[in-house]
Amino acid sequence: NNLSSALRKQGDYATALIYAEKALEIKLKNYPSDHPSVSKYYSNLAHLYSINKKFEKAENNYKQALKITEKSYGRNHSNYIADQSEIAGTYMENGEYKRSLKIYKEAIATNDKLEIKNIKTDLALKYNLALNYINLEDIVSSQRVLQQLRKSISNYGNSVGLFEVDYYLLNAYVLRKIKNFESAKKELDQAEEILNSTPNTSEVQFLIIDLHYERAKIALLENNQNKISLGIEELEQAVHSIINLRRGY
């Protein structure tokens, strides 16, 4: 399973999948099929099936992981919520937004009952719920969830990491969709301020690319010659960021 994880980090998903299948097979020979530790093997395998676009197999393995987790910890547990989030993410990636939406809502309702929440899980659930609404073109609902996400980010303070940037970028996207360009640009300015004060990692570079892309889209939609030139410059910066990322700068 460690070898599979290493290959996954290197981007060799096809080979990682082969090793993940073998790892689960070995695990099942040494542990009962419903042992709590087996759940992680099913989940890892499901994740790789999803990456390799084998969504039916991903769903089946996530369901198996979820079944074991429920038996081991019950539904009102962070591990169960994490497994719910994984299967909901697979549905979303496969374009099954309504199924994904239903599970994210259930996971959030359960998560809200926990006395101690995992910050990353809490924020990710709300972010992905908003994203599902966007995919379903329900902008009003997405804005409502984004307001909840903003409140959670404020409550957690400095513990949120780059989630605040994710929020600003997604909110800017929604504001652009409803043609509130000035407000969208303010959100992007907030995101840029955080990114400029953050060490330059691959995650930061990806967010910078998203930032330039959003600014370019807004500039092009504002539809005057100066703004179009600005949009082209932003796209060029995004391409430059991609090149630097590939070079490992």
Side-chain angles (χ1 to χ4, degrees), residues 1-8 23 41:
N1 213 34
N2 290 335
L3 180 57
S4 174
S5 296
L7 289 165
R8 185 174 65 187
Y41 284 73

Side-chain angles (χ1 to χ4, degrees), residues 105-116:
K105 283 182 176 179
E106 291 173 356
I108 288 172
T110 304
N111 194 57
D112 286 344
K113 298 175 186 176
L114 300 183
E115 291 184 13
I116 301 176

Side-chain angles (χ1 to χ4, degrees), residues 30-81:
N30 292 281
Y31 287 84
S33 61
D34 60 352
H35 191 275
S37 66
V38 175
S39 175
K40 187 64 178 176
Y41 284 73
Y42 277 113
S43 186
N44 287 339
L45 182 56
H47 182 63
L48 284 163
Y49 277 132
S50 183
I51 290 174
N52 284 281
K53 306 301 180 185
K54 298 180 179 181
F55 295 114
E56 186 175 346
K57 288 187 175 182
E59 178 185 8
N60 290 338
N61 279 272
Y62 274 135
K63 283 182 176 179
Q64 191 63 36
L66 198 64
K67 182 179 178 181
I68 295 169
T69 302
E70 181 178 6
K71 182 179 179 180
S72 302
Y73 304 103
R75 289 183 171 231
N76 295 324
H77 193 278
S78 58
N79 288 359
Y80 185 81
I81 294 167

Side-chain angles (χ1 to χ4, degrees), residues 172 174-185 218:
V174 171
L175 291 166
R176 170 169 66 79
K177 295 292 283 185
I178 61 175
K179 295 183 168 50
N180 189 345
F181 299 135
E182 292 306 315
S183 294
K185 285 186 278 188
I218 291 168

Side-chain angles (χ1 to χ4, degrees), residues 113-132:
K113 298 175 186 176
L114 300 183
E115 291 184 13
I116 301 176
K117 294 184 178 66
N118 179 291
I119 293 173
K120 183 178 178 181
T121 299
D122 188 35
L123 297 178
L125 287 171
K126 292 183 176 76
Y127 179 92
N128 286 316
L129 181 62
L131 194 56
N132 260 293

Side-chain angles (χ1 to χ4, degrees), residues 16-235:
L17 176 59
I18 293 169
Y19 280 100
E21 289 172 333
K22 289 180 179 178
L24 175 60
E25 184 180 341
I26 293 168
K27 186 74 175 178
L28 289 172
K29 287 179 180 178
N30 292 281
Y31 287 84
S33 61
D34 60 352
H35 191 275
S37 66
V38 175
S39 175
K40 187 64 178 176
Y41 284 73
Y42 277 113
S43 186
N44 287 339
L45 182 56
H47 182 63
L48 284 163
Y49 277 132
S50 183
I51 290 174
N52 284 281
K53 306 301 180 185
K54 298 180 179 181
F55 295 114
E56 186 175 346
K57 288 187 175 182
E59 178 185 8
N60 290 338
N61 279 272
Y62 274 135
K63 283 182 176 179
Q64 191 63 36
L66 198 64
K67 182 179 178 181
I68 295 169
T69 302
E70 181 178 6
K71 182 179 179 180
S72 302
Y73 304 103
R75 289 183 171 231
N76 295 324
H77 193 278
S78 58
N79 288 359
Y80 185 81
I81 294 167
D83 284 347
Q84 278 187 304
S85 180
E86 293 286 356
I87 195 168
T90 296
Y91 288 144
M92 182 164 62
E93 189 176 352
N94 197 30
E96 298 178 76
Y97 303 125
K98 290 184 178 179
R99 294 181 76 183
S100 179
L101 189 76
K102 182 176 181 292
I103 295 175
Y104 276 126
K105 283 182 176 179
E106 291 173 356
I108 288 172
T110 304
N111 194 57
D112 286 344
K113 298 175 186 176
L114 300 183
E115 291 184 13
I116 301 176
K117 294 184 178 66
N118 179 291
I119 293 173
K120 183 178 178 181
T121 299
D122 188 35
L123 297 178
L125 287 171
K126 292 183 176 76
Y127 179 92
N128 286 316
L129 181 62
L131 194 56
N132 260 293
Y133 278 125
I134 291 168
N135 288 327
L136 290 166
E137 299 184 356
D138 185 348
I139 298 300
V140 172
S141 294
S142 72
Q143 288 180 303
R144 172 176 51 78
V145 177
L146 282 169
Q147 287 174 357
Q148 295 170 3
L149 178 58
R150 173 72 263 178
K151 184 178 179 181
S152 295
I153 288 170
S154 298
N155 289 340
Y156 288 131
N158 295 328
S159 304
V160 300
L162 289 171
F163 259 109
E164 191 167 12
V165 176
D166 288 323
Y167 161 78
Y168 283 128
L169 291 173
L170 190 60
N171 201 34
Y173 172 86
V174 171
L175 291 166
R176 170 169 66 79
K177 295 292 283 185
I178 61 175
K179 295 183 168 50
N180 189 345
F181 299 135
E182 292 306 315
S183 294
K185 285 186 278 188
K186 288 178 182 177
E187 296 293 277
L188 294 175
D189 288 342
Q190 294 276 11
E192 184 175 38
E193 185 177 339
I194 296 170
L195 290 171
N196 286 341
S197 62
T198 305
N200 190 22
T201 63
S202 59
E203 184 180 4
V204 168
Q205 281 294 315
F206 278 120
L207 291 169
I208 289 172
I209 292 166
D210 285 345
L211 176 71
H212 288 314
Y213 178 77
E214 273 304 312
R215 279 192 171 146
K217 289 290 288 185
I218 291 168
L220 294 170
L221 287 168
E222 286 181 311
N223 199 26
N224 68 51
Q225 192 57 49
N226 290 334
K227 296 290 176 66
I228 289 172
S229 297
L230 178 62
I232 292 170
E233 288 177 15
E234 290 288 347
L235 286 173

